[in-house]
Amino acid sequence: MGKDLLLLTLISLPLIGAAINGVLGKKMPKLIVGSLATIMVFVSFLIGLTLFSGLDKTTIVHLFQVAKFDDFTLDANFQIDSLSIWMTLIITGIGSLIHLFSMGYMSHDEGYHKFFTYLNLFIFSMLLLVLGSNYFVLFFGWEGVGICSYLLIGFHYNDAEKGIANSLAARKAFIMNRIGDAGLLFALFMMLNKFHTLEFVEIGKMITASPELYTGIACAITLCLFLAATGKSAQIPLFTWLPDAMAGPTPVSALIHAATMVTAGIYLTVRSNFLFELAPTTKDIILVIGIATTVVAAFIAMRQNDIKKVLAYSTVSQLGLMFVALGMGAYTVALFHVTTHAFFKALLFLGSGSVIHAMSDEQDIRKMGGLSKLTPITHITFLIGTLAIAGFPFLSGFFSKDEILAHAWMSSPIVYGILMIAVTMTAIYMFRLYFLVFHGSFRGGEKLKSHVHESGLSMTIPLMVLAVLSVFGGILNLPGIVFHNAGHWMSHFLESTTYGLNQIETEHMDGKQSIILMCIASVVALSVMTWAYITYVKKQAVAKEDADMNAWEKLSSNKLYIDELYQTIFVQPILWLSTTLGSQFEQRVLNNGIFRLTSAIEASGNYTRKWQSGFLSSYLFWMVMGIIGFISYYIIKSTFWN
Amino acid sequence: MDAVIIIFITGLIGLFVGMLKKSELTLAVTSIGLIGGFISMFLINDYESIFSTYAGLTFSRTQQMFALLAIGLTLLAVLMGYVYYKEEDEHTADYYGLILFSLTGALCLIGFSNMFMFFLGLEILSIPIYVLVGIQKGNSLASEASVKYFFTGSFATAIMLFGIALIYGSTGSFDLNEIRMAIDMGMSHSPMLNIGVLMMMAAFMFKVGAVPFHFWGPDVYQGSSNAVMAYMASVVKLAALFAFVHLFNFTFNQLTPFVSGLVLFAIIVSLFLGYISALKQTSFRRMMAYSSIANTGFALFAVLNQQFGEASLWIFMIGYACSTVALVTINMIVEKDTDELTNWKGIGYSNPLIGITLVISLLSMSGIPPFTGFFGKYLLLSSAFANYLPFVVLAIIASLIGAYLYLRLMVISLSREGEGQKIKMTAIQALVLVLCLAGVLGGWLVLLIK
């Protein structure tokens, strides 16, 4: 099979899975529904591997023309290059593991087939997003993942207790994303206006040919693109939806709100690197926003008591870290962190899912404790995930974070210093979470304790695979201190065929400095670990109740009051405007006006129908009048018509 | 040519078969003849006819399309009339025969290329209709309608002949090409010609039912049976409109700027008067009559569009005629003693086919995409957009009133009040509904072929 056929199969398999499950899923046994969805994604992964191994140059596959206008066309084109294939591998690889996990996790759920339909649809949209060769297809995927995310966050919308909250969370995510989407649309229109095409490579070539022509517009476009990225990737100011999105089932949080969809903003930025390179202002803004997000989110995460909320804020914080890398122009480094983060954050979320499953849907860490003996596999894998994200030496997170820190050090020691604070906070909240959940004594009561059990194989296998990946993921992009030839393999791979990246020189730090930085990072991670161990295990400290907190802790626990702020500044005035318009304008002006108008028109019917008298003589009279009218028209017209 | 002959002969055979008093047989013969005519019209350019060609009757590609549509719509009218006319064995064959003769006239009116053929076609089309309207002899409304139609119709014919005579007098020819050449040579300001053209236009407006020559419409529609009404609203209107558009776009195209004012006036007045009067009607057929006046208003935009007028008219007419035939068929199914709109209450729930056809036909009539009615209106209005913008705006406002009218009918038929009533529908009526539905849903696909 040719590459194009392989690619089309790769994209369409999840869609076929969604179609089959969507139409027939209700009548099929759960095992078949789940397996079908999982296999579809897994086969896509295998095809992705095939394409990956045969990758030599950028290939563009033309599927069909969507629309043609005077000076531009919109095509459904797909692009095979190192960036798109790399993202495909992450999406389908992690996606199939999470599908497998969901087969166990969702086994008691009524909407089983619906869940897998949405998941497959999500994978399809995500593949469109990363494989499209122009912003148009990307936009399709972008909106597709948005709607899937909405559907999945509100998946339990009819839950007796949390149904309303779930729906509100879904709505919030959707609205926040729409704000970002508006940015993307603006960027698209500007690009169409300026370049008359939306193809990545063509725009890139135009810019490379004469960069000085485009500096002004590039700044505007990239700002809009970045607005889109802040929506999808949950950066300040649009980040509040992501923690709420944890209302969705846990596999969804793992797949969509940690590993794949939220990295779409980073993908978008890396894909448009040629534009961002022209706009240093935008890059500075990205850097600042990234730093702010990573610190703020890490701060909030320290005093959250919902196991998934901690991980959610941690995701926001890590995404901020990636944007810091993007702001410094280190595109491949950001993608390296995307990759390792996908491994360990998926692992952590699935681990938390396993915990929640074991705890009969209890998510409050104050009610957990001592789970290490009750759920041994979950415990070990969760520990690995924690160590990876906290930057324990030689695990995947250690390497990827170290790269970002190294770049920060090269750009400015202040940035480095702030990032170190964020990294330290990351270690603190993660170890706090880990020790509170798995060590100490069980705080949920005897009744709950008797139900706690280790999850089934379909849930533990993905955990183990992800744990292995989290440990060894760093090999992908070693700093090249020991094995010089193996170093920065991933950066070189991505730069090989992705347009734009091959023209950007990524600086790498020399050996001595990077060893020093690594040592600092290791020391921080290890000391935080020891401190947390002493606090939470030796001293048996438990998360405080709200009343006992000091001001800082309250600030963190209440998420810096950002939700309340947005509520006051944006939501309330809009609601007020809406109700006012509804009661005043709609009721009084529109309703009355329209009813008056229609009754006036209907009433006029009473007059016009009287013309139809029923008398033949009158009909003939009017016909003659008509002809006389015609002749008079002629007379008038012929006087003036010449 | 062959198609015209086949249909005429089928009409004759049908009259003889009718003596057997077997209405199924008559229907079968008529349908086969119509299908034969359709096929021969479809393949008109692909085989050598045994009849020598006559220059007065030629079918270009567009004319062929219109002829096919006319034959197809006649088939629908014939099929839907079966249920009604089989109860009156005496007249079954008369009904089929007259419809076929009238169709012969319609085909002549579509394929004409000189004034002889034009006038013959017009009369052959009209005279059977006068009879068909009054065919229910016991019904006093029908007799009244028939007489009214006949008198006003003869009046219009006289005007038409007057116009033709004046045109002949000024250009010296009956042949369309020669008339056109004469106009091109500088006749366009001749008063005799201009008056003649205006006379013809007045007669045309009578035939298509535009204001102020529309008065026959409501009375005649109400007096005639459903089947005849469907035939009049579809085939007669189609043929007359085509002849109108063809004559004014092809032969009198130099005079378009001269007549445009009158045409626009007729369009706007027809639209508003038609829709506004329709709002207050309680009888279904009177309502449809006014709606047909308004739709004529839309169709007349084709007269002003020389480039795509005929093609746009075709699309518009397939949408309008299919919806109308579908609605009339439904009216026939639900009709009790009278054709009051109250009969329609809740019928949308009685049967899925009726419900779907009804809703889609009404949506198409209101001009909502992606149904054929929308594309017809869109094509007609978009070509007029550049030159006659204010009138297009007025037409759109009128079509809003129209949408109100059709949606109100939809509300009546979907009201829960009459829910659950049993409605009997024969297989043939179901077939007619399905065919109409196909036309409303897919008629615009022809645009993709052209």
Side-chain angles (χ1 to χ4, degrees), chain B residues 114-120 122 157-174 179 192-193 195-201 203-204 247 252:
Chain B
N114 63 32
M115 287 293 184
F116 281 129
M117 213 59 214
F118 165 69
F119 186 70
L120 266 183
L122 193 64
T157 304
I159 301 285
M160 176 74 83
L161 270 180
F162 190 33
I164 292 176
L166 285 175
I167 290 168
Y168 179 75
S170 59
T171 60
S173 174
F174 281 133
I179 296 174
M192 206 194 222
L193 176 82
I195 300 277
V197 168
L198 286 179
M199 291 289 166
M200 278 194 84
M201 200 167 85
F204 265 126
L247 210 55
F252 304 140

Side-chain angles (χ1 to χ4, degrees), chain B residues 230-262:
Chain B
Y231 178 78
M232 286 169 66
S234 55
V235 182
V236 176
K237 193 159 273 227
L238 174 79
L241 272 170
F242 174 77
F244 193 177
V245 172
H246 186 65
L247 210 55
F248 276 77
N249 278 351
F250 174 72
T251 311
F252 304 140
N253 61 345
Q254 292 282 326
L255 299 171
T256 307
F258 167 57
V259 296
S260 62
L262 277 181

Side-chain angles (χ1 to χ4, degrees), chain A residues 237-270:
Chain A
L238 299 177
F239 74 102
T240 53
W241 66 270
L242 187 61
D244 286 24
M246 297 303 131
T250 312
V252 173
S253 311
L255 177 62
I256 301 183
H257 305 118
T260 54
M261 186 189 83
V262 289
T263 60
I266 288 136
Y267 167 81
L268 180 68
T269 315
V270 177

Side-chain angles (χ1 to χ4, degrees), chain A residues 3 51-59 80-82 493 496-497:
Chain A
K3 267 186 181 181
L51 287 172
F52 170 73
S53 61
L55 189 73
D56 45 3
K57 60 178 186 351
T58 308
T59 315
I80 309 177
D81 64 7
S82 45
F493 167 72
S496 64
T497 56

Side-chain angles (χ1 to χ4, degrees), chain A residues 594-595 597-642, chain B residues 144 147-148 151-152 155-156 159 188-192 194-195 198-199 201-202 205-206 211-216 218-219 254-255 257-262 273 276-277 279-281 286 290 401 404 408:
Chain A
I594 287 174
F595 278 124
L597 186 68
T598 48
S599 51
I601 290 173
E602 281 200 53
S604 63
N606 279 332
Y607 296 98
T608 54
R609 59 187 289 213
K610 286 198 181 120
W611 202 13
Q612 187 81 21
S613 59
F615 293 113
L616 188 55
S617 52
S618 136
Y619 298 176
L620 289 175
F621 170 75
W622 282 109
M623 281 172 75
V624 173
M625 287 307 281
I627 291 163
I628 291 174
F630 276 30
I631 305 291
S632 347
Y633 172 82
Y634 165 72
I635 294 168
I636 296 166
K637 187 97 185 179
S638 61
T639 327
F640 299 105
W641 182 53
N642 270 314
Chain B
E144 185 194 333
V147 169
K148 275 181 179 166
F151 274 113
T152 47
F155 187 72
I159 301 285
S188 55
H189 287 86
S190 140
M192 206 194 222
N194 287 349
I195 300 277
L198 286 179
M199 291 289 166
M201 200 167 85
M205 288 200 173
F206 171 82
V211 179
F213 306 97
H214 65 285
F215 291 102
W216 59 275
D219 292 358
Q254 292 282 326
L255 299 171
F258 167 57
V259 296
S260 62
L262 277 181
L273 189 96
I276 289 177
S277 306
L279 282 176
K280 278 284 171 182
Q281 301 302 325
R286 278 189 96 81
Y290 282 111
I401 304 176
Y404 177 56
R408 217 181 43 164

Side-chain angles (χ1 to χ4, degrees), chain A residues 324-551:
Chain A
V324 171
L326 293 176
M328 295 182 302
Y331 300 103
T332 55
V333 174
L335 272 179
F336 179 40
H337 199 54
V338 165
T339 314
T340 57
H341 177 255
F343 295 152
F344 58 67
K345 193 46 72 63
L347 170 63
L348 286 169
F349 263 114
L350 293 188
S352 76
S354 181
V355 168
I356 294 166
H357 198 63
M359 295 285 296
S360 315
D361 293 338
E362 180 55 60
Q363 301 193 4
D364 194 332
I365 54 175
R366 285 171 294 195
K367 301 217 170 103
M368 300 176 184
L371 290 178
S372 58
K373 294 179 200 71
L374 298 168
T375 56
I377 300 175
T378 310
H379 166 235
I380 298 288
T381 49
F382 200 92
L383 175 61
I384 292 172
T386 312
L387 291 176
I389 191 175
F392 192 82
F394 310 117
L395 297 187
S396 58
F398 173 72
F399 288 110
S400 56
K401 236 183 229 184
D402 186 68
E403 285 269 339
I404 298 176
L405 289 172
H407 276 275
W409 177 256
M410 285 190 288
S411 89
S412 120
I414 302 169
V415 176
Y416 176 80
I418 303 175
L419 286 190
M420 273 318 283
I421 297 173
V423 168
T424 316
M425 286 198 284
T426 308
I428 293 173
Y429 64 71
M430 279 316 296
F431 281 117
R432 168 179 176 266
L433 178 68
Y434 165 74
F435 286 125
L436 281 178
V437 172
F438 290 100
H439 290 274
S441 54
F442 191 79
R443 297 181 291 273
E446 280 307 310
K447 194 178 166 221
L448 190 55
K449 190 173 182 179
S450 60
H451 287 181
V452 175
H453 58 282
E454 179 60 281
S455 311
L457 263 186
S458 83
M459 289 165 73
T460 45
I461 288 175
L463 288 178
M464 292 187 272
V465 176
L466 285 168
V468 172
L469 287 172
S470 303
V471 173
F472 297 109
I475 294 174
L476 291 169
N477 208 23
L478 286 175
I481 301 166
V482 188
F483 306 104
H484 283 282
N485 293 334
H488 299 294
W489 172 84
M490 195 181 137
S491 297
H492 295 311
F493 167 72
L494 286 173
E495 280 159 14
S496 64
T497 56
T498 310
Y499 193 86
L501 284 187
N502 42 14
Q503 284 145 5
I504 298 165
E505 200 59 40
T506 314
E507 277 181 76
H508 293 298
M509 208 177 224
D510 64 71
K512 214 186 213 169
Q513 268 184 317
S514 59
I515 290 174
I516 296 170
L517 290 182
M518 279 184 181
C519 289
I520 298 174
S522 311
V523 169
V524 167
L526 288 172
S527 48
V528 168
M529 189 173 141
T530 323
W531 170 82
Y533 181 74
I534 293 167
T535 320
Y536 292 106
V537 183
K538 289 287 170 199
K539 292 186 183 169
Q540 295 279 336
V542 180
K544 290 180 194 168
E545 291 305 322
D546 295 349
D548 309 333
M549 289 181 175
N550 61 30

